[in-house]
Amino acid sequence: MQKPELSLVGKLDSGLTKGLCSMLASLKVGGLWLLGLLTLASLPWIIFEYGDGLADISPLEWSFMPVLALLLWRHIRYCQHFAIGFWRGLSRLLVAQGIMTAVGMVLFGACVGLLAKTEHPDELLRMLIQEDPLDKLLAFGIVLLALYLAIPKSAPTSLLRPTTLHARVEPEVFTPAKEASV
């Protein structure tokens, strides 16, 4: 059963909806990409926070850097294996970092909101200002987890689909082969 064609107003409405949805989707991906880029770009300032060079690096940060390098190497190898390409692989990495950072910010905001409703909000301010090694461990863990989860799992669908449809070719049977079989 064929569906009736949409009227001109229906076509305009459908096109407007499709355009707005694609614009919002690109804004979402762009925002997550930018948030992931800012997260990765802030790592040197988190690691070298006091400006003392290599003397500034704690044992936690020393253990973070080789794991980060290994996970980056792993990500690059998977991108090469599945023929993802540099920019698409970088985009996957930055979007994953952006998602994890956004989730971390939402959880942090929820915790602050719950703690702000307590009887002593000055204790909350003291807790937020105070530096805790657990905060740095959590921040590094989120970066490493996002990097671990960002690898491609399969080739892009554009590479899986054939580009041209091949017509079925029937084999030809030559007359000498027909006479030999009789």
Side-chain angles (χ1 to χ4, degrees):
M1 181 174 166
Q2 255 187 330
K3 298 179 182 175
E5 191 171 321
L6 285 174
S7 66
L8 181 60
V9 174
K11 288 179 182 179
L12 287 174
D13 182 47
S14 176
L16 180 65
T17 303
K18 184 177 179 181
L20 287 174
C21 286
S22 65
M23 182 183 72
L24 288 174
S26 63
L27 282 174
K28 176 189 77 169
V29 170
L32 289 174
W33 198 88
L34 185 61
L35 189 59
L37 181 66
L38 290 173
T39 301
L40 290 179
S42 68
L43 283 177
W45 282 277
I46 293 173
I47 293 173
F48 300 105
E49 58 196 337
Y50 300 114
D52 292 336
L54 291 179
D56 187 26
I57 300 176
S58 69
L60 173 67
E61 293 159 344
W62 276 113
S63 61
F64 166 74
M65 287 189 282
V67 174
L68 179 71
L70 285 172
L71 286 175
L72 279 172
W73 175 81
R74 175 181 174 262
H75 181 78
I76 291 168
R77 295 298 297 165
Y78 272 92
C79 287
Q80 287 174 347
H81 176 73
F82 290 117
I84 295 294
F86 175 76
W87 292 110
R88 190 174 282 172
L90 180 65
S91 178
R92 287 183 63 90
L93 176 67
L94 293 177
V95 167
Q97 287 294 335
I99 289 171
M100 289 300 286
T101 303
V103 167
M105 289 168 65
V106 166
L107 290 176
F108 178 74
C111 290
V112 168
L114 287 174
L115 289 174
K117 292 185 179 192
T118 62
E119 296 175 5
H120 305 288
D122 55 335
E123 290 291 322
L124 170 68
L125 183 62
R126 189 178 57 78
M127 285 174 48
L128 290 176
I129 293 173
Q130 186 176 347
E131 189 173 321
D132 190 14
L134 187 62
D135 295 339
K136 197 175 264 194
L137 180 66
L138 185 64
F140 289 154
I142 287 173
V143 168
L144 293 177
L145 179 64
L147 187 56
Y148 180 77
L149 296 175
I151 63 162
K153 283 100 181 143
S154 63
T157 55
S158 61
L159 295 177
L160 295 177
R161 280 186 260 132
T163 56
T164 59
L165 296 175
H166 299 288
R168 185 172 178 196
V169 179
E170 295 291 328
E172 289 186 30
V173 179
F174 296 107
T175 56
K178 283 184 183 178
E179 291 174 5
S181 63
V182 176

